[in-house]
Amino acid sequence: MRLSSVCMADLRRSTIDFAKRKPAAVLAAVGAAAAAGFMYGRTLLPGLDLGDTASFQTIVTLPLVVPRHAYPLYVALGKLSVLALGGDPAHALNVLSAVAATGAVAAYAWLAWELTADAFASLWGSLLFAASYTFWSQAVIAEVYTLQALFIAVVLACAVRWWREPSRARLAALYAVYALSFGNHLSMILLAPALVWLLWTGRVKATDSPFAAAGIALALAIAAAGALQYGWNLYGLRALTAPSRSAAELLATFWFDVTKADWRESLVGTVRVDQWGQRAAMYWWDARQQFGVAGLAVALAGAVALLRASRATGVALLAAYLTTFIFGFFYNVGDTHVFLLPSHQIVATFAAVGAAVVTRAASALRPGWCAAALALFFALPAWRIADTWPAVDRSDDRRAEQYVAAALAGLTPHATVYLGDENWQTQNAVDYELVVRRPELPRALSSAVMWHLPEFVERNAQLGRDVVLTAAAAQNIRAVYASTFPIKPDEAAPVSTLEGALGTKPGTPYVLAVLTPLSSFLFDAAMLQRVARAVGGIDLPRGRYVVMAGVAGSAPTLLRAADRPFRETTRLPCGRVEIRIEAWLPFDTMRRAGFGHVFVNGQKALTLERGAAFAALAADGRPLATAYQGGSFSLQPRYRIPVLR
C-alpha cells in the first residue's frame, strides 16, 4: 500500500469525508483542550514573577501604551483579563496565558486534523505539544508566546483549508487572522514564506487568484486594518512627547521602538561562527526536552510522509519550520529556548502526521495491531506530562513576591526615597510592587537624579527622608561623586547569603548546586568554597554545573561537575533525591521555570537558578532553609544616605 494513500487523507479525500469526520475532530480538540486547561490551571503561577513577565503584569495597569511596550493586542486582552477577573493583575495576566495556551492546543488539533483528517492524530499530537517543556513553562506565566502559538496554529490551519478548498471568504479569513496576529508579536512575519508558497500553489484551483489585482487589494486593505492596532502605541507616544516634535520624528521613534531596532542590530543573526557547534548541541538537547527521541522520530516520519504525499503542504510546513528555526537559532538572546518554540510547534505538527501514518499502516497490515499502536502512542504524551509536570509546576512559587517584599522592607513614604537600580529582571518585579501596590513610595533611578543629586539629597533631608540605594545605585553615585555623600550600609535591609549555611548542623541532609553565575550579580566564590568545606569537607570542582549532596559533616554522597545538562539521583536519610538540570549554559540567562530543580521523594524542594543555591532538608524532605547567591533571587546589599539629625 502506498504511503501517501495510507496517511494523507486530507489531500486525497473529498469534502464529504471531512464533514463525516468533523464530530470526531471536534471531540479531539475539546478533549485536548480540557486536558491542557487542567494541566495549566493546576500548575499556574499564582502571582508575580521576574523579568518580562513582571513587565507585562505592570504594563496592563498603566493608562498609556507606548511603542516600546509593543504587543497592543496582548495588552488589550490583558486589560480585559484584569477587568474580568479583578484582584491581582499579576494573577489575571497569568490566567490569560493559560487560556491562550488552552486555545492554542485546541487550534493545533484543528491544524492536525486539516492535514490528516484523523481525530486520533489530532488528539495525540495536541497532547504531545501541550506537554512540551517550553510551551508548558510559558503557559503558566504572563507572556506573549502562548497567544503567538494560538495564532500560528490558526493561521496555518486557515491556509491549509484555503489551499484545499479555495474561496474568497476563506482567503479573507486567512488574511484577517494573520493581520491580527501582528498585534501580538511581529515575528509572525516568519510564516510569510510558507503562506506565500501555499497561496502560489493553490492559485490554480482558485476562482479568484490571490495574486490578481482584486486579491492583492484585499490583502493590502486587511493589512492596513490590522496595522491600526498600533495606533494605540502611537497615541501613547504622542501624549508623552513634546508638541514641538514633527510627525516624521514621531514616526521614526515609533518605528524604532515598536520594532526594537536597537535589539535587532545587536541580537538578530549575531551568533558567532565558533558558537554554531554548541548551539547545535543545545538545539538537539532542547528538542529532546520537548518531545523525547521517540516523539522526534515520529515527527521525522511525518515530515517525510507529508512531503511525499503533498509537495505543497509539505514544503509549506518545512518552510515554516526552517524560518522559525533559523531565526531562533541565530537570535543571540538570553532565552533562546523561547524563540525556538514556534519551530517546536511545527515539529509537533509533523509528529501528528507521523502518528496518522503509523497507526493507519498498522491497521492496514493487521487490524489488531492498530490497538497496540494506539496504546504505545498514548504512552508517549502520558510520560511527557508526568515528567514535565513537577518541573514546570509554579503553583506554590512565591519567590518573586518574597524577593520584592525583602527588597523594599522598611521603606516608608515619609521616611525614605528609593533609588532602585537593579538587574532588569528583578527591577521589573520591584516596579510592579511600586506601581500597583505601593504607588505612594517615592522612588527613582540614579540616572534620573544624578545631575542634580546634591539638591535631591538636600531636599529629601529637609523632608526627613533618607535616600535608600541599591548596590548598583550606590556604585553609580560613588563613581560620579566619590565620597561627597555618606553612603552607609542599610542595617534594616534583610540580606540573603550563603553564610547561614555555614551553621548547618552535622547530620543534616543538604543539597548545594552551582550554575555559572551572571556577571551582573554579586557572587562570593570564597564564601561558596567555605560552605562546601563546612558541609562536605571538600573544595568544589570546576564546571558549568556543579551539584553536591549529602549529610553535613560527612563526605558528599553525590558530587558531579559537568558542562552539559544532566540528571542525577541519590539517597539521603530524608529519602530519594533527584537533581535535574533543565537549562543549557552559557546560552540561557533567563529561565522562568528555573534552571534546574531538586526533588525529594517526588516533591520539589529547591529551584535552581544561576549562581549558588543551597537547601538544608528536614527528615521528611522538606527544606528547612534555603539560600541563593549570585542569581536572580539572591538579595543584594542596600545602602543609605542618612538624614543628618
Side-chain angles (χ1 to χ4, degrees), residues 468-535:
V468 178
L469 315 168
T470 60
Q475 182 179 6
N476 292 341
I477 290 173
R478 288 191 181 109
V480 175
Y481 288 96
S483 59
T484 302
F485 300 102
I487 299 176
K488 300 179 179 180
D490 185 357
E491 297 179 356
V495 178
S496 174
T497 70
L498 283 175
E499 189 172 4
L502 294 173
T504 303
K505 294 181 180 180
T508 302
Y510 71 89
V511 176
L512 175 64
V514 187
L515 280 61
T516 307
L518 294 171
S519 58
S520 55
F521 292 99
L522 298 176
F523 184 75
D524 189 341
M527 172 60 71
L528 175 63
Q529 291 293 359
R530 288 199 295 272
V531 170
R533 295 187 197 108
V535 297

Side-chain angles (χ1 to χ4, degrees), residues 434-634:
L434 293 173
V435 170
V436 176
R437 296 173 179 164
R438 301 181 64 180
E440 74 283 357
L441 189 66
R443 73 276 191 181
L445 298 178
S446 64
S447 58
V449 300
M450 191 69 75
W451 66 277
H452 66 290
L453 188 64
E455 293 81 5
F456 178 83
V457 172
E458 181 180 359
R459 180 54 181 156
N460 278 283
Q462 293 171 358
L463 296 172
R465 293 174 178 157
D466 289 353
V467 178
V468 178
L469 315 168
T470 60
Q475 182 179 6
N476 292 341
I477 290 173
R478 288 191 181 109
V480 175
Y481 288 96
S483 59
T484 302
F485 300 102
I487 299 176
K488 300 179 179 180
D490 185 357
E491 297 179 356
V495 178
S496 174
T497 70
L498 283 175
E499 189 172 4
L502 294 173
T504 303
K505 294 181 180 180
T508 302
Y510 71 89
V511 176
L512 175 64
V514 187
L515 280 61
T516 307
L518 294 171
S519 58
S520 55
F521 292 99
L522 298 176
F523 184 75
D524 189 341
M527 172 60 71
L528 175 63
Q529 291 293 359
R530 288 199 295 272
V531 170
R533 295 187 197 108
V535 297
I538 64 166
D539 288 331
L540 290 175
R542 292 180 177 272
R544 288 175 179 164
Y545 315 92
V546 180
V547 295
M548 171 178 161
V551 174
S554 303
T557 304
L558 169 66
L559 179 64
R560 180 168 178 182
D563 289 331
R564 294 196 174 190
F566 59 84
R567 294 186 181 188
E568 283 285 358
T569 302
T570 189
R571 294 202 67 85
L572 297 178
C574 57
R576 181 178 182 272
V577 177
E578 181 185 14
I579 301 170
R580 292 168 52 168
I581 304 299
E582 311 280 8
W584 187 283
L585 304 183
F587 299 124
D588 276 342
T589 60
M590 294 170 279
R591 273 273 180 177
R592 296 291 168 247
F595 290 74
H597 303 90
V598 177
F599 300 97
V600 182
N601 301 322
Q603 300 298 312
K604 188 182 297 185
L606 181 65
T607 298
L608 306 182
E609 303 292 340
R610 291 195 67 157
F614 176 86
L617 304 172
D620 60 0
R622 291 180 298 104
L624 292 170
T626 60
Y628 291 105
Q629 180 183 284
S632 299
F633 292 98
S634 55

Side-chain angles (χ1 to χ4, degrees), residues 240-588:
L240 297 177
T241 302
S244 59
R245 297 190 69 180
S246 67
E249 290 175 319
L250 281 175
L251 289 174
T253 301
F254 167 82
W255 184 256
F256 182 91
D257 284 347
V258 162
T259 63
K260 296 180 172 62
D262 48 344
W263 290 8
R264 287 189 288 109
E265 291 176 0
S266 59
L267 299 177
V268 176
T270 58
V271 176
R272 300 195 313 267
V273 175
D274 63 340
Q275 294 180 336
W276 290 6
Q278 274 286 309
R279 299 281 280 198
M282 174 200 68
Y283 177 75
W284 172 235
W285 172 84
D286 186 71
R288 299 198 313 274
Q289 186 185 47
Q290 313 306 316
F291 308 116
V293 174
L296 295 174
V298 175
L300 180 59
V304 172
L306 186 57
L307 286 167
R308 290 183 60 181
S310 170
R311 186 168 66 95
T313 54
V315 170
L317 281 182
L318 185 60
Y321 169 77
L322 289 174
T323 53
T324 53
F325 164 73
I326 291 171
F327 176 80
F329 187 88
F330 291 103
Y331 192 32
N332 195 13
V333 70
D335 52 352
T336 301
H337 60 284
V338 172
F339 290 92
L340 290 171
L341 180 55
S343 68
H344 293 326
Q345 191 170 355
I346 307 302
V347 171
T349 306
F350 283 132
V353 177
V357 171
V358 176
T359 55
R360 289 178 184 172
S363 180
L365 291 173
R366 184 172 296 180
W369 288 9
C370 185
L374 293 177
L376 287 174
F377 267 99
F378 273 118
L380 180 57
W383 167 59
R384 296 308 308 158
I385 291 171
D387 187 69
T388 304
W389 187 306
V392 299
D393 186 358
R394 306 286 302 276
S395 58
D396 61 351
D397 190 349
R398 297 280 185 179
R399 292 177 300 155
E401 294 164 358
Q402 293 164 357
Y403 175 89
V404 167
L408 300 178
L411 304 187
T412 63
H414 302 296
T416 56
V417 57
Y418 182 58
L419 297 188
D421 301 23
E422 292 195 61
N423 173 276
W424 70 273
Q425 296 194 63
T426 53
Q427 185 169 318
N428 283 350
V430 172
D431 285 347
Y432 175 88
E433 180 75 10
L434 293 173
V435 170
V436 176
R437 296 173 179 164
R438 301 181 64 180
E440 74 283 357
L441 189 66
R443 73 276 191 181
L445 298 178
S446 64
S447 58
V449 300
M450 191 69 75
W451 66 277
H452 66 290
L453 188 64
E455 293 81 5
F456 178 83
V457 172
E458 181 180 359
R459 180 54 181 156
N460 278 283
Q462 293 171 358
L463 296 172
R465 293 174 178 157
D466 289 353
V467 178
V468 178
L469 315 168
T470 60
Q475 182 179 6
N476 292 341
I477 290 173
R478 288 191 181 109
V480 175
Y481 288 96
S483 59
T484 302
F485 300 102
I487 299 176
K488 300 179 179 180
D490 185 357
E491 297 179 356
V495 178
S496 174
T497 70
L498 283 175
E499 189 172 4
L502 294 173
T504 303
K505 294 181 180 180
T508 302
Y510 71 89
V511 176
L512 175 64
V514 187
L515 280 61
T516 307
L518 294 171
S519 58
S520 55
F521 292 99
L522 298 176
F523 184 75
D524 189 341
M527 172 60 71
L528 175 63
Q529 291 293 359
R530 288 199 295 272
V531 170
R533 295 187 197 108
V535 297
I538 64 166
D539 288 331
L540 290 175
R542 292 180 177 272
R544 288 175 179 164
Y545 315 92
V546 180
V547 295
M548 171 178 161
V551 174
S554 303
T557 304
L558 169 66
L559 179 64
R560 180 168 178 182
D563 289 331
R564 294 196 174 190
F566 59 84
R567 294 186 181 188
E568 283 285 358
T569 302
T570 189
R571 294 202 67 85
L572 297 178
C574 57
R576 181 178 182 272
V577 177
E578 181 185 14
I579 301 170
R580 292 168 52 168
I581 304 299
E582 311 280 8
W584 187 283
L585 304 183
F587 299 124
D588 276 342

